[in-house]
Amino acid sequence: MNDRPSSPRLAINGARLWHSLMQLAELGATAKGGVCRLALTDLDRQARDRVVGWAKDAGCSIRIDAIGNIFARRAGRDPTRAAIATGSHIDTQPTGGKFDGNYGVLAGLEVVRTLNDLGIDTAAPIEFCIWTNEEGSRFVPVMMGSGVYAGAFTLDHALQACDRDGVSVREALASIGYAGTAPAAVADGAPVFGAYFEAHIEQGPVLEATGNVIGVVTGALGQRWYDVTISGMEAHAGPTPMRLRKDALLPATRLMQQVNAIALAQQPDARATVGWVDVFPNSRNVIPGRVRFSVDFRHATDAGLSRMDVELRGAAAQLASETGLPIDVQQVVYFPPQPFTAELVDAVRAGATALGLPQQDIVSGAGHDAVYVARHAPTAMIFVPCKDGISHNEIEDAQEAHLTAGANVLLHAMLAVAQ
Ligand SMILES: [Zn+2]
């Protein structure tokens, strides 16, 4: 049979999706109701095994690539067509929740189960995937599996990354049995999707505040991360007169205020955060001789991000000349803003409209696997609300009705491009 994508009886089974989420959350469950399931641990293996088992039960074939990404495929009528894919990750932060990432993977599984239930065959194959080490908690870089896929860094670079105990990704993948043989990078022959959708909890407070159920994600903010180092001279806090000090913390605190002001001057598109500060020697009665701190800039446009970069460097130079203390600004990470594909964003919007769900356009402030996939395949994302906008926390929570709504939009959007 061929249901039209907008047919009202085309609906996923929300209770089944919820039940699967709760079953997966048993693996690494924490006392506070969260999940601690770090990438490539034995708990990650158990979770992978569980989802792969469900995928096989749903009739999917499984492909595992050289960085351990898992692709579960439901065949289409036309084997020459590129897969219409969805997915996310099932690794968590040490204080993670049940929904971050897991929702996107299991929403994909639920789409496959629903197509089976309704006897719908699609022209293009349908795939759902699990990307390796999205969180970057145990191994850096973050978004490792999708980053290798997209060519953001090489497979070897990822395989050589080590955790704090000196265990490499290569060793960890082998020990959990997920060192696959399929090519991992598009450049090495990994299949390029016909389209990729990712459903995810918002991880922010916007949808909850507006009362909208569906966030139609139009793209992801660009990011520039910096290490700033200010050099002064340590000296005794008592005998050293104020006018003779080289206190590195004074220009540091002034520059931190300016970091904040730089973002406030470009609202609502800009974000700026100083999240990490290291004061040397960090002793009560020693004038700080060196201060290092991080700066995290995010902006919807590359021009805006560049403007923030110029302003940061200008403020640092100004403070250095005023105080006579050297200020070094090193950019350590750059992600360009990633707009999603208009046609797929429209498919998400149309799905929400057909289902009568309150929706709004939204930009992702966080990184997601979809941001890397978008470098090669048409991509879009679907956000659903999470309680108080909180994630990376054991109290992370989401409502079954909202998760169901997001998965229904996913189903409609995928069918719209798979036929
Ligand atoms: Zn996530």
Side-chain angles (χ1 to χ4, degrees):
M1 63 177 274
N2 274 306
D3 268 66
R4 291 168 53 91
S6 58
S7 162
R9 68 181 213 75
L10 196 60
I12 63 105
N13 182 333
R16 179 171 58 190
L17 170 61
W18 180 265
H19 183 62
S20 298
L21 279 162
M22 294 306 113
Q23 281 186 294
L24 194 56
E26 291 167 2
L27 301 171
T30 65
K32 290 182 186 166
V35 178
C36 174
R37 194 165 61 229
L38 301 188
L40 310 184
T41 56
D42 193 64
L43 281 169
D44 187 12
R45 176 191 64 77
Q46 292 176 43
R48 287 162 174 258
D49 288 353
R50 189 164 287 187
V51 178
V52 166
W54 289 335
K56 286 179 176 169
D57 289 347
C60 291
S61 58
I62 304 294
R63 181 175 82 251
I64 301 168
D65 72 18
I67 193 64
N69 296 322
I70 301 169
F71 304 85
R73 184 184 184 94
R74 184 180 189 269
R77 287 192 305 272
D78 181 355
T80 64
R81 276 192 59 177
I84 305 305
T86 188
S88 197
H89 59 95
I90 61 171
D91 67 314
T92 77
Q93 292 287 332
T95 55
K98 303 182 189 80
F99 304 99
D100 180 356
N102 297 288
Y103 170 56
V105 171
L106 295 181
L109 170 67
E110 182 53 40
V111 165
V112 168
R113 286 171 164 172
T114 299
L115 296 177
N116 291 347
D117 290 349
L118 299 179
I120 297 172
D121 61 342
T122 53
I126 299 286
E127 282 190 7
F128 73 94
C129 47
I130 299 173
W131 299 105
T132 292
N133 183 34
E134 192 272 348
E135 295 287 5
S137 180
R138 182 179 174 201
F139 298 105
V140 175
V142 301
M143 301 185 286
M144 182 177 276
S146 53
V148 170
Y149 175 82
F153 38 83
T154 65
L155 173 63
D156 270 344
H157 177 73
L159 291 174
Q160 286 164 17
C162 287
D163 68 7
R164 290 190 193 92
D165 298 324
V167 178
S168 69
V169 167
R170 188 190 305 275
E171 291 162 340
L173 273 172
S175 74
I176 67 165
Y178 278 91
T181 53
V186 169
D188 294 332
V192 176
F193 307 126
Y196 177 81
F197 295 94
E198 184 166 341
H200 208 284
I201 56 169
E202 182 200 341
Q203 300 180 284
V206 175
L207 293 176
E208 196 173 59
T210 57
N212 287 316
V213 173
I214 299 297
V216 179
V217 188
T218 55
L221 300 182
Q223 306 183 28
R224 284 181 190 265
W225 298 358
Y226 303 85
D227 286 346
V228 177
T229 306
I230 303 180
S231 304
M233 187 186 289
E234 316 76 275
H236 197 300
T240 316
M242 297 304 281
R243 65 184 175 80
L244 295 179
R245 296 172 177 224
K246 293 181 177 175
D247 183 342
L249 189 54
L250 287 176
T253 53
R254 287 172 67 189
L255 191 52
M256 288 176 207
Q257 294 293 325
Q258 302 218 32
V259 164
N260 192 253
I262 286 167
L264 288 175
Q266 294 195 52
Q267 287 307 294
D269 290 334
R271 320 254 159 96
T273 305
V274 175
W276 176 84
V277 182
D278 179 46
V279 179
F280 177 83
N282 208 22
S283 175
R284 182 183 298 269
N285 51 12
V286 181
I287 296 159
R290 190 184 67 239
V291 175
R292 295 172 60 212
F293 63 94
S294 63
V295 173
D296 176 323
F297 279 159
R298 304 189 186 211
H299 199 285
T301 70
D302 220 16
L305 209 50
S306 297
R307 203 152 61 235
M308 296 174 83
D309 178 83
V310 168
E311 288 174 8
L312 173 66
R313 292 177 191 282
Q318 172 80 25
L319 273 169
S321 84
E322 277 176 29
T323 61
L325 304 185
I327 303 180
D328 180 58
V329 178
Q330 293 287 341
Q331 181 179 299
V332 291
V333 166
Y334 168 61
F335 289 110
Q338 181 65 61
F340 288 146
T341 312
E343 188 190 355
L344 298 199
V345 173
D346 285 346
V348 171
R349 202 178 277 126
T353 302
L355 292 159
L357 295 165
Q359 57 169 295
Q360 67 173 94
D361 285 5
I362 194 166
V363 177
S364 175
H368 292 288
D369 294 309
V371 178
Y372 275 148
V373 175
R375 295 185 183 184
H376 291 281
T379 295
M381 288 189 77
I382 303 161
F383 278 175
V384 296
C386 58
K387 189 169 187 297
D388 301 325
I390 290 173
S391 70
H392 290 189
N393 188 312
E394 292 161 272
I395 64 168
E396 174 188 294
D397 201 6
Q399 292 180 25
E400 182 177 332
H402 295 162
L403 299 170
T404 300
N408 273 324
V409 171
L410 177 67
L411 172 68
H412 281 245
M414 289 183 80
L415 277 179
V417 292
Q419 299 294 22

